[in-house]
Amino acid sequence: MMQQLLIDRFRGLFLGVAVLEAHLRERCKANVDNDAADNSEYVSPREPLGWCEAMALGQSEIIAYSTQSLNGSQVPFSVTHSPDDENGLARLIARVLPAALFYHDNLPRLEDYICDHVLEGASPSYQAEIWSIGVAIALLCKEQANPYTLIPQLLAQEFLAGTDLQGQLQQVQTQLKTQASLSVAWNEVNPEQSSTALPLKTAFAMACYCWSSTADTFALTVQRTLTLPLSPGIPALMTAALSGVSNGLPGIPLDWQTPLLTPSTSVSRASILALADRLLGAWSGYFTYETWPTSCQLEQTAVSAPGVLRPRD
């Protein structure tokens, strides 16, 4: 894994998820057009994924939480159970990704935010599954994990002991050691081949497999995840986040970014990067909007952890 500027890792995660959503939107549109041509009837497109909107919401929530917690106040945000639909769960994951970036250097605070604030009252196993995603993002953001060590470091976390996710990650690690193919790994992790929605623990385990086996190539990593059966949206979302953080902004191919550069797009590349920049600005201690640096300034400015340096006149 190449070393990246922290700003490029923040931007890489936001943009990685955004380009995946745009890719899925384009693919869905192509399928709708083909079905309409074949059936001579209009086929309505699927419900918008809304992952970028969820990340934007999560970004504003974590900034509000961090600033208001300093004043002793609380920001309401609680999900006591898993969303009923798959895309609802994907939106929840996208919503907590900014928190994984913001607290990447403080895992206890990240755990408090996810388990005690966002998922207050949820089952311990469900909390562990969402929390694992945050830990993986944090480890990659700090350059404390690579394709060979990410899963072992996750397995070393006490909160995973005795969970189903621990067993599935162990299976994935075995497949990685033997350089098993994607289909072999899939059959090992999901032997029952259920026709229902993919469990979150299985989705995360396969996301870790796809990233670990092709970590240096964003496009290949995400494309492999999209070949999984059982609606691979959630594994692809998590894989895009992992690959975006590890490869940074420079590692996301320009052709994947093209849909975000068209004038008619609802989510632009500039707006996505601005979300990442504002999050890094808040992490750096710029809690007032008017004092946040511009994108250009952020790229040329050294920052410290919040509270380390005192503000100067």
Side-chain angles (χ1 to χ4, degrees), residues 10 13 62 95-107 110 113-114 130-131 133-139 141 279:
F10 275 53
L13 185 146
I62 189 59
R95 194 172 166 186
V96 301
L97 289 177
L101 292 175
F102 191 85
Y103 286 133
H104 73 273
D105 56 346
N106 194 334
L107 291 183
L110 178 59
Y113 182 76
I114 292 179
I130 299 292
W131 168 224
I133 302 166
V135 172
I137 295 296
L139 290 173
C141 203
L279 185 65

Side-chain angles (χ1 to χ4, degrees), residues 169-220:
L169 287 175
Q170 289 172 337
Q171 292 174 331
V172 166
Q173 183 65 10
T174 299
Q175 301 307 312
L176 288 170
K177 287 182 178 179
T178 60
Q179 298 183 339
S181 66
L182 178 61
S183 60
V184 171
W186 167 254
N187 291 328
E188 181 66 24
V189 174
N190 190 45
E192 297 181 359
Q193 299 294 308
S194 172
S195 60
T196 58
L198 194 63
L200 178 57
K201 58 182 179 292
T202 305
F204 180 61
M206 291 308 301
C208 288
Y209 168 85
C210 289
W211 176 80
S212 297
S213 54
T214 53
D216 293 334
T217 309
F218 177 89
L220 177 60

Side-chain angles (χ1 to χ4, degrees), residues 32 48-49 66 100 106 115 126 148 151 185 215 236-237 249 260 268 271 277-278 283 297 305 311:
V32 167
L49 296 175
S66 63
N106 194 334
C115 298
Y126 183 60
Y148 304 101
I151 294 179
L237 167 63
L249 178 64
L260 301 180
S268 68
S271 65
D277 292 353
R278 290 178 62 185
W283 176 85
Q297 289 175 324

Side-chain angles (χ1 to χ4, degrees), residues 4-11 14 59 63 249 270-289 291-304:
Q4 302 285 344
L5 296 173
L6 188 58
I7 186 174
D8 283 336
R9 294 198 184 280
F10 275 53
R11 287 176 167 184
F14 274 83
Q59 182 246 42
I63 293 175
L249 178 64
S271 65
I272 288 296
L273 296 184
L275 288 174
D277 292 353
R278 290 178 62 185
L279 185 65
L280 181 63
W283 176 85
S284 305
Y286 289 89
F287 289 109
T288 304
Y289 178 79
T291 64
W292 280 334
T294 64
S295 299
C296 180
Q297 289 175 324
L298 276 174
E299 293 170 342
Q300 302 173 6
T301 302
V303 297
S304 71

Side-chain angles (χ1 to χ4, degrees), residues 210-259:
C210 289
W211 176 80
S212 297
S213 54
T214 53
D216 293 334
T217 309
F218 177 89
L220 177 60
T221 301
V222 174
Q223 289 282 19
R224 293 178 73 215
T225 314
L226 291 173
T227 64
L228 294 173
L230 300 183
S231 301
I234 293 179
L237 167 63
M238 293 186 288
T239 303
L242 293 173
S243 190
V245 168
S246 63
N247 291 297
L249 178 64
I252 299 177
L254 291 176
D255 58 332
W256 279 67
Q257 302 180 40
T258 301

